[in-house]
Amino acid sequence: GVRQASRAAGPGVRLMLFESEPLPVIRERLLAEGRMLPVVFDPCEAPRAGENYFTRMQKNLDSLRRAVARIHP
Protein backbone atom coordinates (compact mmCIF):
# COMPACT_ATOMS: atom_id res chain seq x y z
CA GLY A 1 0.00 0.00 0.00
CA VAL A 2 0.90 3.65 0.25
CA ARG A 3 2.54 3.28 3.65
CA GLN A 4 4.72 0.43 2.40
CA ALA A 5 5.77 2.46 -0.63
CA SER A 6 6.63 5.38 1.63
CA ARG A 7 8.71 3.18 3.95
CA ALA A 8 10.43 1.43 1.04
CA ALA A 9 11.34 4.75 -0.55
CA GLY A 10 13.16 5.85 2.60
CA PRO A 11 12.79 8.74 5.01
CA GLY A 12 14.18 11.42 2.69
CA VAL A 13 11.89 10.72 -0.26
CA ARG A 14 9.01 13.19 -0.47
CA LEU A 15 7.95 13.01 -4.14
CA MET A 16 6.36 10.20 -6.11
CA LEU A 17 6.41 10.48 -9.91
CA PHE A 18 3.47 9.37 -12.05
CA GLU A 19 3.28 9.18 -15.85
CA SER A 20 -0.32 10.41 -15.72
CA GLU A 21 -2.52 12.10 -13.16
CA PRO A 22 -3.12 9.66 -10.27
CA LEU A 23 -6.63 8.90 -9.15
CA PRO A 24 -7.87 11.38 -6.52
CA VAL A 25 -8.05 8.63 -3.90
CA ILE A 26 -4.38 7.73 -4.52
CA ARG A 27 -3.34 11.38 -4.39
CA GLU A 28 -5.14 11.90 -1.09
CA ARG A 29 -3.69 8.74 0.46
CA LEU A 30 -0.17 9.71 -0.55
CA LEU A 31 -0.60 13.11 1.01
CA ALA A 32 -2.30 11.82 4.17
CA GLU A 33 -0.63 8.48 4.91
CA GLY A 34 2.63 8.63 3.09
CA ARG A 35 3.22 12.36 3.38
CA MET A 36 4.44 12.20 -0.20
CA LEU A 37 3.62 14.67 -2.95
CA PRO A 38 2.52 13.07 -6.22
CA VAL A 39 4.04 14.69 -9.32
CA VAL A 40 3.07 13.99 -12.93
CA PHE A 41 6.18 13.49 -15.08
CA ASP A 42 5.50 12.99 -18.78
CA PRO A 43 7.78 10.26 -20.23
CA CYS A 44 7.49 11.96 -23.65
CA GLU A 45 6.76 8.71 -25.45
CA ALA A 46 3.99 9.81 -27.84
CA PRO A 47 4.21 13.04 -29.86
CA ARG A 48 1.60 15.74 -29.28
CA ALA A 49 0.54 18.47 -31.68
CA GLY A 50 2.44 21.71 -31.19
CA GLU A 51 4.95 20.22 -28.76
CA ASN A 52 8.33 18.60 -29.02
CA TYR A 53 10.54 16.71 -26.62
CA PHE A 54 12.13 19.88 -25.24
CA THR A 55 8.87 21.74 -24.58
CA ARG A 56 7.46 18.70 -22.80
CA MET A 57 10.60 18.21 -20.72
CA GLN A 58 10.45 21.89 -19.79
CA LYS A 59 6.93 21.28 -18.45
CA ASN A 60 8.31 18.33 -16.46
CA LEU A 61 11.03 20.53 -14.98
CA ASP A 62 8.47 23.20 -14.10
CA SER A 63 6.32 20.58 -12.34
CA LEU A 64 9.31 19.29 -10.38
CA ARG A 65 10.36 22.81 -9.39
CA ARG A 66 6.87 23.60 -8.10
CA ALA A 67 6.78 20.33 -6.13
CA VAL A 68 10.21 20.88 -4.59
CA ALA A 69 9.24 24.45 -3.68
CA ARG A 70 6.24 23.06 -1.76
CA ILE A 71 8.50 20.70 0.19
CA HIS A 72 11.38 23.14 0.75
CA PRO A 73 9.91 26.66 0.70
Side-chain angles (χ1 to χ4, degrees):
V2 172
R3 285 188 199 141
Q4 290 171 330
S6 180
R7 276 190 236 121
V13 176
R14 303 284 309 269
L15 301 175
M16 184 172 280
L17 300 180
F18 289 85
E19 290 184 6
S20 61
E21 193 65 40
L23 294 172
V25 66
I26 299 295
R27 177 179 286 281
E28 293 305 316
R29 286 191 70 185
L30 282 171
L31 292 170
E33 295 178 16
R35 295 173 301 283
M36 297 178 79
L37 183 62
V39 178
V40 176
F41 192 90
D42 183 357
C44 303
E45 293 174 337
R48 293 184 188 157
E51 292 186 321
N52 62 39
Y53 176 84
F54 298 106
T55 58
R56 290 170 70 186
M57 285 308 259
Q58 184 62 53
K59 288 180 182 181
N60 283 336
L61 287 172
D62 293 343
S63 293
L64 286 172
R65 284 186 183 115
R66 283 191 303 273
V68 169
R70 286 182 62 185
I71 295 170
H72 302 288

